[in-house]
Amino acid sequence: MRRGLCCSTARDRGPGQAPQTEAERWILARLQQTLGEVEQHFASYRFDLLAQALYEFVWNEYCDWFLELSKPALNGDDELAAASTRHTLLAVLETVLRALHPIIPFITEEIWQSVAPRLGIEGTTVMQRPYPQPGDVAADNDAQAVADIEWLKAVLTGLRRIRAEMNISPGKPIALLLAGGGTDDRRRAEQFAAQLAFLGRLDSQQWLGEGDVEPAAAVTAVGALRVLIPLAGLIDVEAEKARLARELGRIEGEIRKCEGKLGNQRFVANAPAEVVEQERQRLADWQRQHATLRDQAARL
């Protein structure tokens, strides 16, 4: 039976019970980070930035990704993971409603009246609830979960970009080939195999060995990892060449931006050391992706 949010209650996950999925740990870490930004913006009276931070979290993280990443657990056979995911979906929503209440009071009050009973929260109005603080979220800045889910998002985004640009139906099952990458890529590919199959509409997943001949394929790069969709019976090779040319152009633009920043002596001298190092890392990542796609274009 297809599960939904309608049956979510506070009993889905007991007090103090840890989230069961990486997606939950990721969204809680992102919520904790967002509430930290909100706290800073309140202190500096930048209510515009406060509203923007909450908007981006709700739209880009909660609605765009967490709802999607919740589907494998909600539709799977692991009842504990499904119950925990339902609880997290509602708990994060209730927290965000409290954070947004000073900005959009009537809308948040109306929604909160439906959400609170499902979490077992007593009270007649959201105004009686405490304003959320970063310390209220037991996420402990789970850097590992964040990095793992960002990897999953990057792979899925690459697959969907190829589908869109090559006009492959979103519902058509496709084969996935993985090449290159490192230990973390292999661990994550195994860890998220079920999520990739479900969300990416995959009918197979396979790693290519060093001696294996790569077939003509549409490719996207996630760091040193190459994500390939074999073209046979799917797309036009000439169209894929054109797509790669556009993608290479986009990456070359990003490389120029990074080189421009790092070539600016004022930026290098005045920016915090970690910001400069982050920019250098971004440049290295873009250059690695450019080399990967250039090689793929040459093979086609």
Side-chain angles (χ1 to χ4, degrees), residues 167-178:
N167 199 28
I168 302 172
S169 169
K172 182 179 179 60
I174 56 175
L176 173 67
L177 298 178
L178 300 171

Side-chain angles (χ1 to χ4, degrees), residues 142-248:
D142 196 335
Q144 185 64 62
V146 171
D148 288 347
I149 291 297
E150 291 301 329
W151 179 92
L152 176 60
K153 287 169 57 182
V155 173
L156 289 172
T157 298
L159 291 176
R160 289 169 180 175
R161 184 185 302 123
I162 291 174
R163 280 185 181 273
E165 293 182 356
M166 305 310 297
N167 199 28
I168 302 172
S169 169
K172 182 179 179 60
I174 56 175
L176 173 67
L177 298 178
L178 300 171
T183 303
D184 280 341
D185 292 307
R186 288 186 175 270
R187 173 182 62 80
R188 288 163 176 162
E190 181 178 357
Q191 178 181 357
F192 294 120
Q195 289 89 334
L196 284 169
F198 183 91
L199 298 172
R201 300 293 190 272
L202 306 179
D203 58 12
S204 65
Q205 302 176 53
Q206 179 184 344
W207 279 91
L208 292 175
E210 291 186 7
D212 293 338
V213 177
E214 293 185 9
V219 65
T220 188
V222 178
L225 175 69
R226 296 198 306 283
V227 180
L228 305 99
I229 297 178
L231 301 181
L234 283 179
I235 52 181
D236 185 337
V237 173
E238 292 302 319
E240 172 58 8
K241 289 181 181 178
R243 187 193 72 84
L244 283 174
R246 292 193 299 271
E247 185 68 5
L248 284 167

Side-chain angles (χ1 to χ4, degrees), residues 67-136:
L67 290 178
E68 189 75 4
L69 295 173
S70 296
K71 291 177 182 178
L74 294 175
N75 290 275
D77 297 326
D78 188 335
E79 292 293 341
L80 187 59
S84 179
T85 298
R86 288 196 295 269
H87 176 88
T88 299
L89 280 161
L90 284 170
V92 171
L93 176 58
E94 195 274 338
T95 302
V96 169
L97 290 171
R98 285 186 281 133
L100 282 168
H101 188 65
I103 305 172
I104 45 175
F106 300 109
I107 295 173
T108 50
E109 179 69 45
E110 182 70 22
I111 299 174
W112 186 87
Q113 292 293 336
S114 296
V115 172
R118 300 175 187 273
L119 286 165
I121 296 173
E122 298 180 356
T124 58
T125 173
V126 67
M127 289 187 290
Q128 295 177 343
R129 294 278 287 158
Y131 196 81
Q133 304 295 322
D136 298 340

